[in-house]
Amino acid sequence: MHLLRSRRLERHPLAVRLRHAGFRALLILLTSTFAGIAASGNSEEMEQLQRSFAHPPDDARIMMRWWWFGAAVEKPEIERELRVMKEAGIGGIEIQPVYPLELDDPAKNFRNLPYLSDGFLDALHFAAATARQLGLRVDITLGSGWPYGGPHTPVTEAAGRLRCERVTVPESAQSVAGPALENGEKLIAAFLAAGDGRTFSSQGLQRLNDVPNGRAALPDGLQGPHVVLFFVSSRTGQQVKRAAVVAEGFVIDHYQRDAIEHHLFTVGNRLLQAFGDTPPYAVFSDSLEVFASDWTPDFLQEFNKRRGYDLTPYLPALVGDMGVDTPAIRHDWGETLTELAEDDYLTPIREWAHVHHTLFRSQSYGEPPVILSSNALVDLSEGEHGPEWRGFSAARWASSASHLYGKAVTSSETWTWLHSPAFRATPLDMKAEADLHFIEGINQLVGHGWPYSPPSVAEPGWRFYAAAAFNDHNPWFEVMPDIARYLQRVSFLMRQGRPANDVAIYLPTDDAWARFTPGNASVDQAMDALLGPVLIPQVLDAGYNFDFIDDRAITASGLPYKVLILPGVERIPLATLQKIREYAQKGGLVVATRRLPALAPGLRESKADTPRIAALASQLFETASKNVRFVQDERMLGSTLAQMLTPDFAVSSDAAPVIGFVHRKLPSSEIYFVVNTSNRPIRTEAHARVSGLDAAWWDPFSGEITA
């Protein structure tokens, strides 16, 4: 079936009719010799690409997250489900033991295998061995449920938080009692401030050093209302979510290396025993959802070592206003949290994985506040599709990191919450959402997911609370091989060559850290507000695709893009701005929106670097230049970009908001994957920037190639 028709003109205007997303996406391949004509004219590279497109390799197949409820699993059903997956075109599994759905019943011979028990490990060993025999990839989550933790986690290794208790000072009081301390808590400091229990003044703020037995002595002669702020190194108390039988317990402290090493020793080593001499392809860490985790017992020492000053006198700035330095202090707190999460969570897991001859796959976003470049510390970056492909998303965050750090494959958790409840999602829905992942740079889909379901359970079997059910209990499952083949072909082609995104959008990470407050410490979750609703649609509608970039990636990889956008950035490291100036001097296109960078990121840098940053930004953007622009009104961004660089894939203005594309560049050809994301037919003319090449349609449903 032809996806569309074209008439060939000099600059490849393509008269395009794009049907709605559920039925039609298209692959256009531009090459120096038309790929559908005689093979004698094709290069060896093109011949191999055609063969692989018709019969894509197994490693491009979709995977499934395989939920083991309980875990109430038995070998015959394990083998049956694996064989069904293989026949349906699924290429691998991620085993994730989760909550039980039924109680043990000896009369029915029904039993939940306790997590990490000998019976559980025996079932895991059988599943891994059977999957390998079938040629399926096997990954496993290093824990049950999420985040990591369990009964082996003592309160001293549980997720930490900073607690601030505000105690109003009674009239004429000479002392006030501090908060009762629970197990695992420690009083850090106390401060006296003018104000009530809701607000306090930074004027006259006084640290109280005399706090014997948790009771703070007060100075004489206090006038007006006062409050004492007690800062406590505390614990979140968060429990592992959706844990299997006997896997319940505290979530670990992700800023404490001893905690993750204890977890890896107790859980990770035990799990790998089941794999014998053949380890899993990868071990997995789910999205970081350690809610309100923003402290650890040795934080003050680590902060002093990393930032060069004592945070203790500035603790009130984390919960209130201490004047102009407040954002800089919060920034330094946030940056330290990020470094601790990288050093004491991501890095130890990767090191452990490599010692055990496996890879580390991670959804590195959420809380604790990892950054885009934290993905450099994992082997396989994974994202999720956000609420909207035209805004910030974890999928784009992960694929951008892979592009910057030279990783060919980026996976994503796919179809989470797709038309919940479980059996409402159709193959049409699967394809439509998968296409959104593809246009955000994803090229490995991990379906969410496949619920293990015992034969004794009546139809439609078991299902996970937060996902569609893609197993053979679904009435449309007989067409799974067809949809899986489509997804396999697109995944394969989206791995070829290299990404050809024109635009890098700078993530204002330092501004995100500066906005942290206790209980709200996530870099990626701050990005929607920092980037705003206008910026990304302006870039996409103008005919460009983009990656995100951050300071560390600029230091590591430079700026391998035609355009860099600074979206309303306030705080920026001096070294980054200097590299941006060098990039512009060498011909790179730079656009700042809303305002110019004006501040150094943290407290220590502010006095020396802030004047230099303000002067450099002014010099760079206020001097007329054809390749450097300041756009105060972001609604003018798209037209400004078009003046600076010919759009890569432009369509009419009425079609632009619903057309997404990916462009990948091979040595002798160009690939465009184009998607109509709406639910209505679109007729438009598209202009590809590349010229002098012949075009062909590559049909990912059939594998056919036509003029």
PDB file of all heavy atoms in Angstrom, residues 442-456:
ATOM      1  N   ILE A 442      13.197   8.182  20.192  1.00  0.00           N
ATOM      2  CA  ILE A 442      13.242   6.834  20.770  1.00  0.00           C
ATOM      3  C   ILE A 442      13.365   5.795  19.649  1.00  0.00           C
ATOM      4  O   ILE A 442      12.753   5.934  18.594  1.00  0.00           O
ATOM      5  CB  ILE A 442      11.969   6.574  21.599  1.00  0.00           C
ATOM      6  CG1 ILE A 442      11.894   7.554  22.791  1.00  0.00           C
ATOM      7  CG2 ILE A 442      11.903   5.130  22.078  1.00  0.00           C
ATOM      8  CD1 ILE A 442      13.073   7.496  23.740  1.00  0.00           C
ATOM      9  N   ASN A 443      14.155   4.748  19.888  1.00  0.00           N
ATOM     10  CA  ASN A 443      14.259   3.674  18.899  1.00  0.00           C
ATOM     11  C   ASN A 443      14.293   2.280  19.530  1.00  0.00           C
ATOM     12  O   ASN A 443      14.741   1.325  18.906  1.00  0.00           O
ATOM     13  CB  ASN A 443      15.478   3.883  17.990  1.00  0.00           C
ATOM     14  CG  ASN A 443      16.760   4.118  18.755  1.00  0.00           C
ATOM     15  OD1 ASN A 443      16.882   3.742  19.919  1.00  0.00           O
ATOM     16  ND2 ASN A 443      17.731   4.736  18.101  1.00  0.00           N
ATOM     17  N   GLN A 444      13.849   2.170  20.769  1.00  0.00           N
ATOM     18  CA  GLN A 444      13.624   0.868  21.414  1.00  0.00           C
ATOM     19  C   GLN A 444      12.414   1.010  22.320  1.00  0.00           C
ATOM     20  O   GLN A 444      12.436   1.805  23.270  1.00  0.00           O
ATOM     21  CB  GLN A 444      14.835   0.423  22.233  1.00  0.00           C
ATOM     22  CG  GLN A 444      14.595  -0.822  23.094  1.00  0.00           C
ATOM     23  CD  GLN A 444      14.385  -2.084  22.275  1.00  0.00           C
ATOM     24  OE1 GLN A 444      15.300  -2.565  21.626  1.00  0.00           O
ATOM     25  NE2 GLN A 444      13.179  -2.617  22.296  1.00  0.00           N
ATOM     26  N   LEU A 445      11.357   0.243  22.040  1.00  0.00           N
ATOM     27  CA  LEU A 445      10.134   0.340  22.831  1.00  0.00           C
ATOM     28  C   LEU A 445      10.081  -0.774  23.865  1.00  0.00           C
ATOM     29  O   LEU A 445      10.329  -1.942  23.545  1.00  0.00           O
ATOM     30  CB  LEU A 445       8.913   0.246  21.929  1.00  0.00           C
ATOM     31  CG  LEU A 445       8.829   1.279  20.799  1.00  0.00           C
ATOM     32  CD1 LEU A 445       7.579   1.044  19.967  1.00  0.00           C
ATOM     33  CD2 LEU A 445       8.844   2.697  21.345  1.00  0.00           C
ATOM     34  N   VAL A 446       9.769  -0.406  25.103  1.00  0.00           N
ATOM     35  CA  VAL A 446       9.553  -1.372  26.177  1.00  0.00           C
ATOM     36  C   VAL A 446       8.087  -1.241  26.587  1.00  0.00           C
ATOM     37  O   VAL A 446       7.701  -0.288  27.262  1.00  0.00           O
ATOM     38  CB  VAL A 446      10.487  -1.121  27.376  1.00  0.00           C
ATOM     39  CG1 VAL A 446      10.262  -2.189  28.452  1.00  0.00           C
ATOM     40  CG2 VAL A 446      11.947  -1.117  26.932  1.00  0.00           C
ATOM     41  N   GLY A 447       7.288  -2.185  26.133  1.00  0.00           N
ATOM     42  CA  GLY A 447       5.853  -2.105  26.351  1.00  0.00           C
ATOM     43  C   GLY A 447       5.487  -2.240  27.819  1.00  0.00           C
ATOM     44  O   GLY A 447       6.044  -3.033  28.554  1.00  0.00           O
ATOM     45  N   HIS A 448       4.494  -1.502  28.206  1.00  0.00           N
ATOM     46  CA  HIS A 448       4.027  -1.442  29.592  1.00  0.00           C
ATOM     47  C   HIS A 448       2.543  -1.828  29.570  1.00  0.00           C
ATOM     48  O   HIS A 448       1.669  -0.953  29.565  1.00  0.00           O
ATOM     49  CB  HIS A 448       4.204  -0.007  30.083  1.00  0.00           C
ATOM     50  CG  HIS A 448       4.140   0.212  31.558  1.00  0.00           C
ATOM     51  ND1 HIS A 448       2.964   0.362  32.248  1.00  0.00           N
ATOM     52  CD2 HIS A 448       5.117   0.329  32.481  1.00  0.00           C
ATOM     53  CE1 HIS A 448       3.226   0.586  33.529  1.00  0.00           C
ATOM     54  NE2 HIS A 448       4.521   0.577  33.694  1.00  0.00           N
ATOM     55  N   GLY A 449       2.235  -3.145  29.523  1.00  0.00           N
ATOM     56  CA  GLY A 449       3.171  -4.212  29.507  1.00  0.00           C
ATOM     57  C   GLY A 449       2.419  -5.534  29.356  1.00  0.00           C
ATOM     58  O   GLY A 449       1.331  -5.635  28.802  1.00  0.00           O
ATOM     59  N   TRP A 450       3.028  -6.555  29.932  1.00  0.00           N
ATOM     60  CA  TRP A 450       2.552  -7.938  29.775  1.00  0.00           C
ATOM     61  C   TRP A 450       2.304  -8.528  31.159  1.00  0.00           C
ATOM     62  O   TRP A 450       3.247  -8.874  31.872  1.00  0.00           O
ATOM     63  CB  TRP A 450       3.589  -8.760  29.028  1.00  0.00           C
ATOM     64  CG  TRP A 450       3.146 -10.160  28.695  1.00  0.00           C
ATOM     65  CD1 TRP A 450       3.009 -11.194  29.572  1.00  0.00           C
ATOM     66  CD2 TRP A 450       2.801 -10.679  27.408  1.00  0.00           C
ATOM     67  NE1 TRP A 450       2.597 -12.334  28.923  1.00  0.00           N
ATOM     68  CE2 TRP A 450       2.460 -12.040  27.579  1.00  0.00           C
ATOM     69  CE3 TRP A 450       2.748 -10.138  26.133  1.00  0.00           C
ATOM     70  CZ2 TRP A 450       2.087 -12.856  26.520  1.00  0.00           C
ATOM     71  CZ3 TRP A 450       2.376 -10.938  25.073  1.00  0.00           C
ATOM     72  CH2 TRP A 450       2.049 -12.292  25.274  1.00  0.00           C
ATOM     73  N   PRO A 451       1.066  -8.675  31.578  1.00  0.00           N
ATOM     74  CA  PRO A 451       0.787  -9.257  32.888  1.00  0.00           C
ATOM     75  C   PRO A 451       0.787 -10.788  32.836  1.00  0.00           C
ATOM     76  O   PRO A 451       0.015 -11.389  32.084  1.00  0.00           O
ATOM     77  CB  PRO A 451      -0.606  -8.722  33.233  1.00  0.00           C
ATOM     78  CG  PRO A 451      -1.236  -8.406  31.921  1.00  0.00           C
ATOM     79  CD  PRO A 451      -0.151  -8.137  30.930  1.00  0.00           C
ATOM     80  N   TYR A 452       1.665 -11.398  33.620  1.00  0.00           N
ATOM     81  CA  TYR A 452       1.582 -12.850  33.800  1.00  0.00           C
ATOM     82  C   TYR A 452       0.215 -13.166  34.401  1.00  0.00           C
ATOM     83  O   TYR A 452      -0.246 -12.482  35.327  1.00  0.00           O
ATOM     84  CB  TYR A 452       2.694 -13.326  34.727  1.00  0.00           C
ATOM     85  CG  TYR A 452       2.601 -14.795  35.096  1.00  0.00           C
ATOM     86  CD1 TYR A 452       3.352 -15.749  34.420  1.00  0.00           C
ATOM     87  CD2 TYR A 452       1.765 -15.221  36.133  1.00  0.00           C
ATOM     88  CE1 TYR A 452       3.262 -17.097  34.748  1.00  0.00           C
ATOM     89  CE2 TYR A 452       1.668 -16.557  36.474  1.00  0.00           C
ATOM     90  CZ  TYR A 452       2.422 -17.500  35.782  1.00  0.00           C
ATOM     91  OH  TYR A 452       2.332 -18.835  36.119  1.00  0.00           O
ATOM     92  N   SER A 453      -0.423 -14.213  33.895  1.00  0.00           N
ATOM     93  CA  SER A 453      -1.748 -14.569  34.389  1.00  0.00           C
ATOM     94  C   SER A 453      -1.880 -16.082  34.453  1.00  0.00           C
ATOM     95  O   SER A 453      -1.746 -16.763  33.432  1.00  0.00           O
ATOM     96  CB  SER A 453      -2.825 -13.984  33.467  1.00  0.00           C
ATOM     97  OG  SER A 453      -4.095 -14.083  34.053  1.00  0.00           O
ATOM     98  N   PRO A 454      -2.124 -16.658  35.635  1.00  0.00           N
ATOM     99  CA  PRO A 454      -2.213 -18.120  35.766  1.00  0.00           C
ATOM    100  C   PRO A 454      -3.397 -18.685  34.990  1.00  0.00           C
ATOM    101  O   PRO A 454      -4.418 -18.015  34.805  1.00  0.00           O
ATOM    102  CB  PRO A 454      -2.406 -18.330  37.275  1.00  0.00           C
ATOM    103  CG  PRO A 454      -1.991 -17.052  37.916  1.00  0.00           C
ATOM    104  CD  PRO A 454      -2.286 -15.980  36.930  1.00  0.00           C
ATOM    105  N   PRO A 455      -3.282 -19.920  34.540  1.00  0.00           N
ATOM    106  CA  PRO A 455      -4.401 -20.553  33.820  1.00  0.00           C
ATOM    107  C   PRO A 455      -5.671 -20.638  34.655  1.00  0.00           C
ATOM    108  O   PRO A 455      -6.781 -20.687  34.104  1.00  0.00           O
ATOM    109  CB  PRO A 455      -3.862 -21.949  33.496  1.00  0.00           C
ATOM    110  CG  PRO A 455      -2.382 -21.837  33.590  1.00  0.00           C
ATOM    111  CD  PRO A 455      -2.105 -20.797  34.625  1.00  0.00           C
ATOM    112  N   SER A 456      -5.534 -20.644  35.975  1.00  0.00           N
ATOM    113  CA  SER A 456      -6.711 -20.783  36.841  1.00  0.00           C
ATOM    114  C   SER A 456      -7.558 -19.521  36.920  1.00  0.00           C
ATOM    115  O   SER A 456      -8.690 -19.556  37.405  1.00  0.00           O
ATOM    116  CB  SER A 456      -6.261 -21.160  38.256  1.00  0.00           C
ATOM    117  OG  SER A 456      -5.403 -20.153  38.789  1.00  0.00           O
TER     118      SER A 456
END
